Amino acid sequence: METYLVGGAVRDRLLGLPPGDNDWVVVGQTPEGMEAAGFRPVGRDFPVFLHPDTGEEHALARTERKSAPGYRGFTVHADPSVTLEQDLERRDFTINAIAQGADGRLVDPFGGAADIEKRVLRHVSPAFVEDPLRVLRAARFMARFAPLGFTVAPETMQLMREIAASGELDALVPERTWQELCKALRAARPSAFLRTLRDAQALKAVLPEVDALYGIPQRPEYHPEVDTGIHQELVSDMAATLAPGDDVAGFAALTHDLGKALTPRSKWPRHIGHEQAGLKPLEALCERLRVPNSHRGLARIACREHLNVHRLFELRDATVHDLLERCDAFRRPERIAPLALVCEADRRGRLGFEDADYPQGPELRRVHAAAMAVNARDLVTDGMSGPQVGRALRQARIEAIARARSPRPSQ
């Protein structure tokens, strides 16, 4: 039995990145032999085992053959005759097709180490086109590695376009698409995910609501980048900067302006009412990808309220209270900080505004905290009915907001 460290663990070490989980491939062994050695089987679609001491995943070397449409349409073959090189050949990108032996020696039959040096994401073999999920994986890897200077090899991009043109992306199950999207939103540069999919002519199939934003003009005095799709890229990257690894805020940032794609051409470059208009495509996206409620909730209020937050210093005290109430901020106080962050990302996600101040963020958190400090139990409500108590609580919270508000900042 020969055991090799493989995949991302080797790649990230060569890139000098912090180590993640270790994955191992085992050559020359059977499932029965693994269990006899104390490994616990966990693989559903192919033989994967957990080490009895470390709990790390060990997979038997295997080959895969395309047998049906979609990313699940593969027949897996794993037995002691499968070589390490055969196992590496089935992998997606050369940078992921490197193994390391116990003695530290690299097994790199497809030039992955050289591609790491050249900062190139390149497919291993023509079999790349057999798995449509690899288009999303390429885009997700670019979201992570574009800051390091990585680009997609032209020949790999051509294969991605062939996959997109084949219609195979329609076979991706929502959960896998969502999983890859979340990983991209947690990465340093989500815009590279969007741009890679767009270059591959795949964004329209994966995120049609976002793809529709490209080419939609905005008022240049507010948006020097003009194109709404470019604005969206900048906002997503700013959200990743302000809240690294936060895919909940990242999803809300990604979807906050979907309504601009629905503005009639005759109204361009203004987008009056795009906040409410964006709720319908947002719900369609959430339903299609089965987006969790935690992500939906923040995305809805960010889509609907981001302009109100931008105008926070102009709003009356009662209007600020009602904004908080619409966000369900008194029952779900944890929503306000990420809402403020997404709105800041929207403000700073514009050419030339990257370092702009956003006093509305701390102001929103401050007035929310003041309103939250008011408790119905502290009010004199003797003899009041339920609706009267509600009105008294609202008034007390409005007064607390008024006391907490800061002067409107000078322009």
Side-chain angles (χ1 to χ4, degrees):
M1 183 170 93
E2 300 176 70
T3 303
Y4 296 86
L5 186 66
V6 292
V10 180
R11 176 199 67 222
D12 290 351
R13 289 182 185 183
L14 292 176
L15 283 168
L17 298 175
D21 294 334
N22 287 334
D23 291 318
W24 305 84
V25 66
V26 179
V27 179
Q29 189 54 275
T30 64
E32 294 78 15
M34 295 292 287
E35 292 189 55
F39 287 78
R40 181 164 61 89
V42 293
R44 184 181 65 177
D45 300 323
F46 48 84
V48 179
F49 301 83
L50 299 184
H51 191 281
D53 298 324
T54 67
E56 293 177 337
E57 288 191 358
H58 287 60
L60 295 186
R62 66 186 189 272
T63 60
E64 296 173 346
R65 180 175 57 84
K66 185 74 169 176
S67 57
Y71 80 96
R72 285 181 170 172
F74 290 88
T75 299
V76 175
H77 173 69
D79 69 32
S81 69
V82 177
T83 67
L84 176 62
E85 289 73 13
Q86 287 176 315
D87 181 273
L88 295 175
E89 187 177 13
R90 69 172 177 78
R91 296 173 184 266
D92 48 10
F93 303 106
T94 60
I95 65 172
N96 296 331
I98 310 171
Q100 184 175 20
D103 58 359
R105 181 179 61 91
L106 294 182
V107 180
D108 182 18
F110 304 103
D115 281 342
I116 286 175
E117 288 293 323
K118 291 182 287 189
R119 299 298 196 253
V120 173
L121 192 66
R122 191 191 316 275
H123 65 283
V124 171
S125 77
F128 180 88
V129 298
E130 296 178 351
D131 186 353
L133 185 63
R134 288 175 171 174
V135 174
L136 287 179
R137 283 174 58 82
R140 186 250 295 177
F141 279 126
M142 286 302 296
R144 183 181 179 195
F145 294 136
L148 301 180
F150 270 80
T151 60
V152 179
E155 61 272 24
T156 301
M157 180 59 73
Q158 181 55 39
L159 293 183
M160 292 165 63
R161 290 174 182 146
E162 291 178 16
I163 294 172
S166 74
E168 280 258 307
L169 292 172
D170 296 336
L172 293 175
V173 298
E175 290 82 0
R176 289 309 302 270
T177 301
W178 174 248
Q179 184 180 53
E180 295 297 323
L181 174 58
C182 279
K183 289 179 180 178
L185 294 174
R186 291 195 294 268
R189 195 173 296 173
S191 65
F193 177 82
L194 300 175
R195 192 165 297 179
T196 301
L197 288 180
R198 187 163 168 79
D199 288 347
Q201 299 163 13
L203 186 60
K204 189 172 183 177
V206 177
L207 293 170
E209 299 85 357
V210 177
D211 184 69
L213 296 175
Y214 287 87
I216 304 296
Q218 303 164 108
R219 294 174 65 183
E221 63 267 38
Y222 298 115
H223 290 276
E225 70 283 354
V226 180
D227 190 305
T228 306
I230 302 302
H231 169 59
Q232 182 54 65
E233 292 180 2
L234 295 171
V235 173
S236 288
D237 285 353
M238 184 57 67
T241 299
L242 296 174
D246 186 344
D247 53 80
V248 178
F251 180 69
L254 176 70
T255 57
H256 80 287
D257 260 353
L258 296 183
K260 288 182 177 178
L262 303 179
T263 302
R265 184 181 292 264
S266 61
K267 304 295 184 182
W268 291 353
R270 297 178 181 271
H271 296 278
I272 297 172
H274 75 274
E275 318 93 280
Q276 289 293 331
L279 294 173
K280 185 174 180 180
L282 172 61
E283 289 303 319
L285 190 160
C286 289
E287 285 300 309
R288 188 176 67 256
L289 296 187
R290 301 175 189 171
V291 174
N293 288 334
S294 56
H295 295 70
R296 291 190 194 210
L298 181 62
R300 285 192 192 106
I301 63 173
C303 179
R304 188 183 65 230
E305 306 292 350
H306 64 276
L307 287 192
N308 289 325
V309 177
H310 292 338
R311 294 191 291 255
L312 187 63
F313 288 101
E314 304 167 25
L315 302 181
R316 294 178 298 176
D317 300 330
T319 307
V320 173
H321 173 275
D322 295 345
L323 162 63
L324 294 172
E325 199 161 53
R326 286 195 303 274
C327 294
D328 202 15
F330 301 119
R331 292 193 312 126
R332 302 287 301 276
E334 71 279 2
R335 285 182 168 181
I336 293 304
L339 173 62
L341 183 145
V342 172
C343 293
E344 180 177 353
D346 180 35
R347 167 66 175 171
R348 295 172 60 187
R350 313 173 193 209
L351 287 179
F353 287 78
E354 296 85 357
D355 298 319
D357 289 333
Y358 192 70
Q360 293 90 334
E363 180 75 359
L364 181 65
R365 293 189 287 270
R366 181 165 43 250
V367 297
H368 174 241
M372 282 293 296
V374 177
N375 196 303
R377 292 190 299 270
D378 299 328
L379 302 179
V380 177
T381 58
D382 294 344
M384 288 187 182
S385 64
Q388 289 173 320
V389 172
R391 287 192 292 270
L393 178 60
R394 179 177 186 273
Q395 184 58 38
R397 284 173 169 166
I398 291 171
E399 292 170 1
I401 289 169
R403 291 191 296 270
R405 296 189 76 173
S406 303
R408 181 175 178 176
S410 57
Q411 297 298 320

